Amino acid sequence: MLFILKKIIGNLLFPLPFLLLLMAIALLLLWFSRWQKSAKTLITMSWLGLFLLSLQPIADRLLMPLENQYATYQKNEPIDYIVVLGGGYTYNPDWAPSSNLFPNSLPRVTEGVRLYRQHPGAKMIFSGAAAISNPLPNAKVAAMVAESLGVPEQDIIMLPQAQDTIEEAQAVAQIAQQKTLLLVTSANHLPRAMRIFQKEGLNPIPAPANQLATLGPLNPWEKAFPSAFYLSHSERAWYETLGNLWLTIKE
């Protein structure tokens, strides 16, 4: 119940639902109260916030400080385990295996497989519990994708009970406490994940995947017009900032 409550509160604090909630309050004030000036100010500021957070130059600059903390792993040192953290997923047996992983999850798995091919003898660890009403846990679905990409079943370990990053770190610590491991997750999530794993006594090597923020060449209209795609970048920056703040408070 605590996990579900945490997810509900966390999602309500995302920019889109939070700003839409403010707009709804403003509309109620506008239609059913005398606070007309306050309502107009609130709806204007909410709309402006939504507009700005949906622009690529702003969204990606918010995300870059998180994503730029660790470079793509390129070394060849001996590795015992490659830990791939869970993310969004679904399960439809009629789909291609990779179609069951959401955009934040599939790049983690493919980067993990790339690193596995570079480190013969390493084992892959997939984590993640089952979502509500889903017949398979996240770890199993990710492992199925890895197998479809050529990773043998005997080189895969699944941790299907871990519901969040803290539980993932605790589960990995029981297996790989004194081992060398690569920690693979989205680049924006990696700084917080590293803090959590280190707190469990692990010393993971960071291996970021799924980099989103870019200063590279884009079409002019991609920078000028608001987009739900870039709003999601702002959401990731906000979510991870809240997560790091919460970790600091707990410490």
Side-chain angles (χ1 to χ4, degrees), residues 6-111:
K6 182 178 71 172
K7 289 297 182 181
I8 291 173
I9 294 174
N11 279 275
L12 283 174
L13 292 176
F14 273 18
L16 182 58
F18 180 71
L19 291 171
L20 287 176
L21 178 61
L22 292 182
M23 290 182 193
I25 294 171
L27 288 172
L28 289 174
L29 293 175
L30 192 63
W31 283 95
F32 302 109
S33 79
R34 298 178 180 177
W35 296 350
Q36 299 296 295
K37 187 174 180 180
S38 296
K40 292 175 182 178
T41 300
L42 184 58
I43 199 168
T44 300
M45 297 304 295
S46 301
W47 179 90
L48 183 61
L50 186 60
F51 173 77
L52 293 175
L53 292 174
S54 301
L55 294 175
Q56 185 273 334
I58 293 175
D60 281 3
R61 279 171 174 77
L62 290 174
L63 195 56
M64 276 182 188
L66 291 167
E67 292 198 340
N68 289 347
Q69 291 188 36
Y70 299 106
T72 299
Y73 181 80
Q74 303 285 5
K75 298 178 182 179
N76 259 331
E77 57 197 299
I79 297 295
D80 297 307
Y81 294 104
I82 300 168
V83 180
V84 180
L85 300 187
Y89 82 109
T90 185
Y91 179 66
N92 186 328
D94 297 326
W95 290 356
S98 61
S99 297
N100 289 301
L101 295 180
F102 289 178
N104 71 322
S105 298
L106 183 57
R108 301 181 186 185
V109 175
T110 55
E111 177 64 4

Side-chain angles (χ1 to χ4, degrees), residues 127-130 138 159-169 171:
S127 61
N138 192 331
L159 303 175
Q161 305 302 323
Q163 291 188 309
D164 57 21
T165 309
I166 293 175
E167 292 185 6
E168 288 176 313

Side-chain angles (χ1 to χ4, degrees), residues 211-233:
Q211 288 89 342
L212 299 172
T214 179
L215 290 175
L218 292 170
N219 292 312
W221 53 86
E222 292 181 273
K223 296 183 178 183
F225 289 94
S227 165
F229 178 71
Y230 292 116
L231 177 61
S232 70
H233 292 193

Side-chain angles (χ1 to χ4, degrees), residues 88-166:
Y89 82 109
T90 185
Y91 179 66
N92 186 328
D94 297 326
W95 290 356
S98 61
S99 297
N100 289 301
L101 295 180
F102 289 178
N104 71 322
S105 298
L106 183 57
R108 301 181 186 185
V109 175
T110 55
E111 177 64 4
V113 172
R114 182 185 76 85
L115 295 171
Y116 169 82
R117 296 187 184 283
Q118 291 184 351
H119 297 87
K123 301 289 186 182
M124 295 195 74
I125 299 178
F126 294 100
S127 61
I132 296 174
S133 77
N134 199 306
L136 294 181
N138 192 331
K140 175 62 177 176
V141 176
M144 290 169 61
V145 175
E147 288 184 56
S148 75
L149 296 175
V151 180
E153 183 179 359
Q154 63 267 26
D155 284 346
I156 292 176
I157 300 170
M158 290 180 285
L159 303 175
Q161 305 302 323
Q163 291 188 309
D164 57 21
T165 309
I166 293 175

